[in-house]
Amino acid sequence: MYSLREGSGLSLLLVFAGLQIAAEGRGTPPCRPGFSEDVYKVVVPEITVKGHPLFNVRFVDCGRGGPVRFECSNPSDFRIEADGVVYAASTILRSALDASPLLIKASDAATQQEWVAHVLLSPSSQQVQQVAAPSVVSKDLKEIVFSSRNADSQLKRAKRDWVIPPINVPENSRGPFPQELVRIRSDHDKNRSLRYSVTGPGADQPPTGIFIIEPISGELSVNKPLDREHISNFHLRAHAVDLNGNQVENPIDIVINVIDMNDNRPEFAHQIWNGTVPEGSKPGTFVMTVTSVDKDDPRTANGMLRYKILSQNPESPTSNMYTINNKTGGIITVAAGLDREKVPQYTLIIQATDMEGNPIYGLSNTATAVIRVTDVNDNPPEFTAEMFFGEVPENRVNVIVANLTVTDKDQPNTPAWNAVYKITGGDPTGRFSVPTDPTTNEGLVTVVKPIDYEISRTYVLTVEARNEVPLARGIHSPRQSTATVSIRVLDVNESPYFEPNPRLITLDDGTSADSTLIAFTAQDPDRFMEQSISYSKLSDPANWLRIDPNTGRITTIAILDRESPFVKNSLYNATFMARDNGKPSASGTGVLQIHLRDINDNAPKVFPTETEVCEKPEPNAINITALDGDLNPNAGPFAFELAHRPLDVRRNWTITRVSGDYAQVSLKIGFLESGIYELPIIITDSGNPPMSNTSYLRIKVCQCDMNGDCSDQQHIMAAGLGTGAIISILLCIIILLILVLMFVVWMKRRDKERQAKQLLIDPEDDVRDNILKYDEEGGGEEDQDYDLSQLQQPDTLEPDVIKPVGIRRLDERPLHPEPQYPMRSAAPHPGDIGDFINEGLKAADNDPTAPPYDSLLVFDYEGSGSTAGSLSSLNSSSSGGDQDYDYLNDWGPRFRKLADMYGGSDD
């Protein structure tokens, strides 16, 4: 990429590396900040590519430490960095440069000081006088010579100082390696042997081993290929020491720039880019931006990308609907005619090429841009027909009459496609509406108010369809966006109706039966149908009325009473039904309200009916009033007086009128015995004619406490019990006594039955035939010496005599676990039985005919199934010769009978 007219690219780099500008020192003044030289002479090639480093200037700050800002007089061609390295800002032709020197200015923002240095640019064919010729050099290797400055005098300024330009090394070099770059040499090597070394990243710091130096000759070499995308430059420092390791020269800085090669293709951030553009957009409308990245140096042509559109699909309406900015990647429209309904999406193949788009040398890559054309409301909805028809029965609401269908070319289910319907004519009373079906986008003509066939038989509506959003500019609604809807109303049999409903009439309270009230008739709205109406009664709570089924005339069948519980606020309501004879028939209801005027037909009554007073009133009056079912003026004011009978009423009591509705009753005498008194009071109302009634006021006279209230004891006495209450209490007492008597009788009867059952004991449960074994050993301390083995010898039992397990008693012990007592031939102790079998022994002694085994079996245990079995089951030999019964004689006189029977001789 850096082709030169003379020599190879490597030779040019070596020339740059060997460029040195000498500076002569004049005297040894103190250190002053400024450029190391007032005038720099730099050799430049005829053609310099943009971004190529040319030279560097050195600024001595004398330890000030403040930042210095560099500027050049020709920023369009040269660019200077903060480290003093000057680069080509564009591709430079030496012949096109101005002959005037390049000015480099350094400024200190803190002190506002400025320093200026001049740079003389000369072509590479000329000789620079200030470049020192090396004393010993290889054939084609350039030298970098240490300055003649003494290492020990830091404050001395040399006559000349070297301007070491960066060493440029191309990346991805193929070798051979190591590849010599430059020779480092000191003037002191003439007098003594020196050793050269380099330090810094790439040498003795990671990544190590990239650069090596021959310690004796000072030849600096690169040891492997470089990668600019990994490390773009290296900063090394060269050292010269003697054999003792003493520094003989000040270290010099060497900058090695890795020259970029075009070894990376552009890479798009996304392989597929998505963008949108509204349909109908004008040319120049921005769509989207695609970007690509090249890892090569963006300051060189290797990293400068250019974009272009390779293809467009579809190529409609033209093949060049879009263009792309070749530098930024911005895509815009260049032609009109975007129509989503025709082409909803475009696919573009975008190519990015480096080397500023050079198709021969540049590397390229592609990506896909998908541009979706978004919808705008450029298509109004159009009805599929000019006329729609429908029909609806009269008096029906919320009924869909007709479905209006439209077409819209815009994108479905968007505001530009959704239709909105509006009735513009034919419905002045607002009986119809046209909502939109959200699924089909149809208009649903719906009845929202009842329609009367007798008023209008047909309706003709004008309906307009629009979208939810306005049409795009320049688009107008066509004639097809308006349609006509013809609706026919169907006649149906309507219910008769009463007018007015409810109907109010006024009658006198107490109107007699069989009185004719009114004709409560209904009207049939079906004027065009000849139908008759019949009437019936639906609701008549008091059953006072009757209606003629043909004429609707209402008559009474009972006396009307305003004071009836079915009358509320003097109003009585009855409901009647009218039904026509249509098919099917229809019916309607009407309510007749009867307002009953009050008459004086109710006598007043005293209130309250019960009260109490003290034996000794001091004073103690009773306030009373009257209740009258009539209304004023047939009620109060009332007149109160005491009855003449019995005679003691007026003698003991007096009544005083307090107001028109209230009076006071009080005692005339100073003391009245405690008790209950019924006081007859005559009350007369103010009706015309007036009505009187004798009411009884029940007064309880009691002893009072200091506050004038009846005491608790007197309350109890005054409360009293009526005859019914006393009878109820007596009945309860009698019933309780009967229940107790029945319980006693039942208990006695139960005891008798229990005693009778004891005489009927089941032979199986008879204890006389059983010797039962309990779960206890011995009978206490008194029985410890008894040997019961003589009464229980299981070994002598026959197997057929032993009870099966299934029929044994639950309280018996199991047979097998019983201890087996051995047979003993010796006679037991004579007193080992006890008194509990005395009665059995007596029976055996006194009854010689009874078998002994049937009389010696009486025990104090109830139950059956003894594990010991019955003594009757003991085997007895017919001869008796095989057993010795002589020991029975030792048991006493009671067992002599047994000894004679079983143990005696034949006689």
Side-chain angles (χ1 to χ4, degrees):
M1 53 184 277
Y2 298 122
S3 59
L4 302 176
R5 296 182 181 178
E6 296 181 2
S8 64
L10 183 58
S11 301
L12 178 61
L13 295 175
L14 295 176
V15 170
F16 289 157
L19 180 63
Q20 300 180 15
I21 302 178
E24 296 181 357
R26 299 178 181 179
T28 57
C31 180
R32 292 181 302 174
F35 288 101
S36 60
E37 283 294 326
D38 295 333
V39 178
Y40 296 93
K41 293 183 178 181
V42 179
V43 176
V44 297
E46 182 62 27
I47 300 176
T48 305
V49 182
K50 177 181 177 181
H52 195 283
L54 295 176
F55 61 94
N56 66 335
V57 295
R58 180 182 179 190
F59 185 85
V60 180
D61 59 359
C62 296
R64 297 170 67 255
V68 177
R69 182 170 176 267
F70 295 101
E71 296 179 7
C72 66
S73 61
N74 188 4
S76 60
D77 294 331
F78 300 95
R79 173 173 55 85
I80 184 170
E81 298 293 340
D83 56 358
V85 179
V86 180
Y87 297 87
S90 61
T91 302
I92 302 174
L93 295 178
R94 177 63 188 86
S95 59
L97 291 176
D98 192 356
S100 59
L102 178 66
L103 301 180
I104 304 297
K105 182 177 68 174
S107 59
D108 190 342
T111 61
Q112 301 297 325
Q113 289 182 288
E114 294 183 353
W115 298 269
V116 179
H118 295 74
V119 179
L120 301 179
L121 303 176
S122 60
S124 58
S125 59
Q126 298 181 3
Q127 300 294 330
V128 182
Q129 299 297 329
Q130 286 78 6
V131 177
S135 56
V136 178
V137 295
S138 299
K139 183 175 182 180
D140 293 325
L141 194 62
K142 303 302 179 180
E143 287 187 351
I144 296 178
V145 181
F146 283 93
S147 62
S148 58
R149 177 183 304 174
N150 191 342
D152 299 331
S153 58
Q154 297 294 332
L155 299 178
K156 294 183 179 180
R157 185 169 180 177
K159 298 181 2 181
R160 286 257 184 211
D161 200 358
W162 293 102
V163 178
I164 309 299
I167 302 173
N168 297 321
V169 180
E171 66 173 334
N172 302 326
S173 176
R174 296 184 179 180
F177 296 101
Q179 181 179 354
E180 294 83 0
L181 300 179
V182 70
R183 179 189 295 274
I184 307 298
R185 191 180 65 82
S186 172
D187 292 339
H188 295 281
D189 62 355
K190 300 176 181 180
N191 303 324
R192 47 184 167 172
S193 297
L194 301 179
R195 296 294 181 266
Y196 301 97
S197 62
V198 290
T199 58
D204 60 343
Q205 300 177 17
T208 60
I210 297 179
F211 298 98
I212 59 175
I213 188 171
E214 212 289 321
I216 298 177
S217 63
E219 293 179 358
L220 180 64
S221 304
V222 60
N223 203 32
K224 59 180 67 175
L226 304 181
D227 186 1
R228 191 206 66 84
E229 287 71 36
H230 184 218
I231 300 177
S232 60
N233 55 66
F234 297 88
H235 293 267
L236 304 179
R237 172 164 289 192
H239 306 270
V241 297
D242 57 15
L243 296 179
N244 296 324
N246 298 320
Q247 179 177 326
V248 297
E249 297 283 1
N250 289 332
I252 60 174
D253 294 328
I254 301 175
V255 178
I256 301 176
N257 291 327
V258 182
I259 303 302
D260 184 40
M261 305 295 290
N262 191 17
D263 57 346
N264 291 280
R265 290 180 179 275
E267 295 180 1
F268 284 93
H270 306 285
Q271 196 59 34
I272 297 179
W273 297 78
N274 294 297
T276 59
V277 59
E279 63 174 332
S281 297
K282 297 180 180 180
T285 302
F286 175 78
V287 180
M288 60 190 300
T289 298
V290 297
T291 57
S292 179
V293 177
D294 196 318
K295 295 181 181 179
D296 292 326
D297 192 354
R299 299 174 298 181
T300 65
N302 298 334
M304 297 179 181
L305 307 181
R306 297 295 182 264
Y307 301 93
K308 71 175 181 178
I309 298 176
L310 296 181
S311 65
Q312 170 190 309
N313 183 34
E315 297 180 354
S316 175
T318 64
S319 60
N320 296 317
M321 293 296 295
Y322 304 93
T323 186
I324 188 170
N325 187 307
N326 64 346
K327 292 184 179 181
T328 64
I331 300 176
I332 60 175
T333 61
V334 293
L338 290 174
D339 190 350
R340 190 204 64 84
E341 289 71 33
K342 295 180 180 179
V343 181
Q345 181 175 290
Y346 289 90
T347 301
L348 307 180
I349 303 300
I350 310 298
Q351 182 185 59
T353 306
D354 58 15
M355 294 298 292
E356 297 180 305
N358 190 318
I360 299 176
Y361 302 104
L363 301 177
S364 61
N365 208 340
T366 61
T368 302
V370 178
I371 302 174
R372 183 171 57 87
V373 182
T374 58
D375 187 35
V376 298
N377 193 15
D378 57 346
N379 293 281
E382 298 180 0
F383 286 99
T384 58
E386 295 182 0
M387 178 73 72
F388 294 88
F389 299 92
E391 59 183 21
V392 59
E394 63 174 333
N395 299 322
R396 297 283 299 276
V397 294
N398 298 325
V399 178
I400 298 176
V401 179
N403 289 30
L404 310 182
T405 56
V406 295
T407 59
D408 197 321
K409 297 179 181 179
D410 292 321
Q411 185 174 358
N413 301 316
T414 61
W417 179 82
N418 296 334
V420 179
Y421 300 90
K422 180 181 180 182
I423 299 175
T424 59
D427 186 24
T429 57
R431 299 184 180 275
F432 300 90
S433 68
V434 189
T436 303
D437 189 325
T439 304
T440 62
N441 208 30
E442 295 179 350
L444 308 178
V445 182
T446 307
V447 181
V448 294
K449 292 182 180 180
I451 301 174
D452 192 353
Y453 174 83
E454 285 71 28
I455 297 177
S456 178
R457 301 184 182 183
T458 59
Y459 288 87
V460 180
L461 308 179
T462 302
V463 181
E464 181 183 7
R466 297 181 180 180
N467 293 121
E468 292 180 354
V469 295
L471 292 172
R473 182 177 297 181
I475 306 298
H476 303 282
S477 297
R479 181 178 57 84
Q480 291 80 3
S481 296
T482 303
T484 302
V485 183
S486 178
I487 301 174
R488 183 168 65 94
V489 183
L490 303 178
D491 189 16
V492 296
N493 187 19
E494 300 177 77
S495 302
Y497 64 93
F498 291 88
E499 186 67 29
N501 190 13
R503 185 170 181 178
L504 177 65
I505 61 173
T506 301
L507 299 176
D508 289 334
D509 183 13
T511 300
S512 62
D514 296 327
S515 299
T516 301
L517 303 185
I518 61 169
F520 194 32
T521 59
Q523 300 178 10
D524 192 348
D526 299 315
R527 299 195 304 265
F528 303 101
M529 298 181 183
E530 295 181 358
Q531 299 179 143
S532 61
I533 300 177
S534 60
Y535 301 92
S536 61
K537 183 172 64 173
L538 284 183
S539 174
D540 184 10
N543 198 22
W544 288 343
L545 307 175
R546 177 178 61 240
I547 187 170
D548 188 282
N550 297 320
T551 63
R553 186 171 298 276
I554 298 176
T555 57
T556 61
I557 59 176
I559 298 176
L560 306 185
D561 185 8
R562 194 197 65 83
E563 288 74 24
S564 170
F566 301 104
V567 178
K568 305 297 181 183
N569 298 324
S570 300
L571 286 178
Y572 179 74
N573 294 328
T575 305
F576 299 91
M577 182 178 66
R579 181 181 295 274
D580 60 22
N581 60 348
K583 294 183 180 180
S585 63
S587 62
T589 60
V591 177
L592 178 64
Q593 290 185 335
I594 302 175
H595 180 266
L596 296 176
R597 288 190 295 262
D598 184 39
I599 62 173
N600 193 14
D601 57 347
N602 291 279
K605 298 179 181 179
V606 68
F607 182 83
T609 59
E610 293 184 1
T611 185
E612 60 183 20
V613 67
C614 296
E615 291 179 338
K616 298 178 179 181
E618 298 181 356
N620 195 347
I622 302 171
N623 294 325
I624 62 172
T625 185
L627 298 179
D628 195 328
D630 297 324
L631 301 177
N632 290 329
N634 297 321
F638 302 99
F640 301 89
E641 63 175 333
L642 296 176
H644 297 277
R645 299 292 181 183
L647 298 177
D648 57 350
V649 172
R650 288 179 174 265
R651 184 172 59 248
N652 297 334
W653 303 90
T654 182
I655 187 168
T656 304
R657 184 177 180 181
V658 178
S659 63
D661 295 331
Y662 293 92
Q664 284 186 347
V665 177
S666 58
L667 282 171
K668 279 186 176 182
I669 59 179
F671 174 79
L672 186 63
E673 186 179 355
S674 298
I676 299 175
Y677 301 87
E678 290 187 352
L679 186 65
I681 300 175
I682 301 174
I683 306 175
T684 305
D685 61 19
S686 299
N688 187 15
M691 293 192 68
S692 298
N693 181 34
T694 300
S695 298
Y696 287 88
L697 175 63
R698 192 179 188 204
I699 302 177
K700 301 174 184 178
V701 179
C702 59
Q703 296 179 0
C704 298
D705 54 14
M706 58 185 305
N707 296 324
D709 299 327
C710 288
S711 60
D712 294 339
Q713 182 178 0
Q714 294 299 324
H715 272 292
I716 298 174
M717 295 175 58
L721 292 177
T723 303
I726 295 174
I727 293 174
S728 299
I729 294 174
L730 292 176
L731 288 176
C732 292
I733 293 174
I734 293 172
I735 292 172
L736 183 60
L737 293 176
I738 292 173
L739 291 176
V740 172
L741 181 61
M742 292 177 63
F743 180 75
V744 171
V745 172
W746 177 77
M747 290 296 294
K748 291 183 177 181
R749 185 175 181 180
R750 183 181 177 187
D751 292 340
K752 291 181 179 179
E753 290 178 353
R754 185 179 300 172
Q755 294 175 2
K757 287 181 180 180
Q758 291 179 356
L759 300 177
L760 301 176
I761 300 176
D762 190 350
E764 193 69 23
D765 295 331
D766 194 352
V767 300
R768 293 179 297 173
D769 291 338
N770 299 290
I771 296 179
L772 303 181
K773 179 69 172 61
Y774 289 86
D775 289 339
E776 58 190 271
E777 297 180 1
E781 296 179 357
E782 298 177 357
D783 299 330
Q784 293 300 318
D785 297 330
Y786 292 165
D787 186 3
L788 299 181
S789 62
Q790 303 302 321
L791 300 179
Q792 179 171 298
Q793 299 181 8
D795 295 341
T796 62
L797 298 178
E798 290 292 336
D800 55 347
V801 185
I802 301 176
K803 293 184 179 181
V805 178
I807 61 174
R808 296 174 64 237
R809 290 168 54 96
L810 295 177
D811 55 353
E812 293 180 4
R813 295 185 60 185
L815 178 62
H816 296 286
E818 293 294 335
Q820 301 297 325
Y821 296 96
M823 296 183 59
R824 299 177 60 183
S825 57
H829 194 274
D832 60 351
I833 300 300
D835 295 335
F836 66 95
I837 59 173
N838 289 333
E839 295 180 0
L841 293 177
K842 290 179 180 181
D845 293 337
N846 298 327
D847 189 4
T849 61
Y853 50 81
D854 288 335
S855 300
L856 300 177
L857 301 175
V858 179
F859 299 95
D860 291 335
Y861 186 89
E862 296 181 2
S864 62
S866 174
T867 57
S870 176
L871 293 177
S872 301
S873 62
L874 297 176
N875 293 334
S876 297
S877 174
S878 59
S879 62
D882 55 343
Q883 296 189 27
D884 185 12
Y885 295 97
D886 293 337
Y887 65 91
L888 295 176
N889 294 320
D890 300 333
W891 285 18
R894 299 176 180 177
F895 291 90
R896 290 176 181 174
K897 187 70 173 179
L898 292 175
D900 295 337
M901 294 176 63
Y902 290 93
S905 61
D906 294 337
D907 53 289

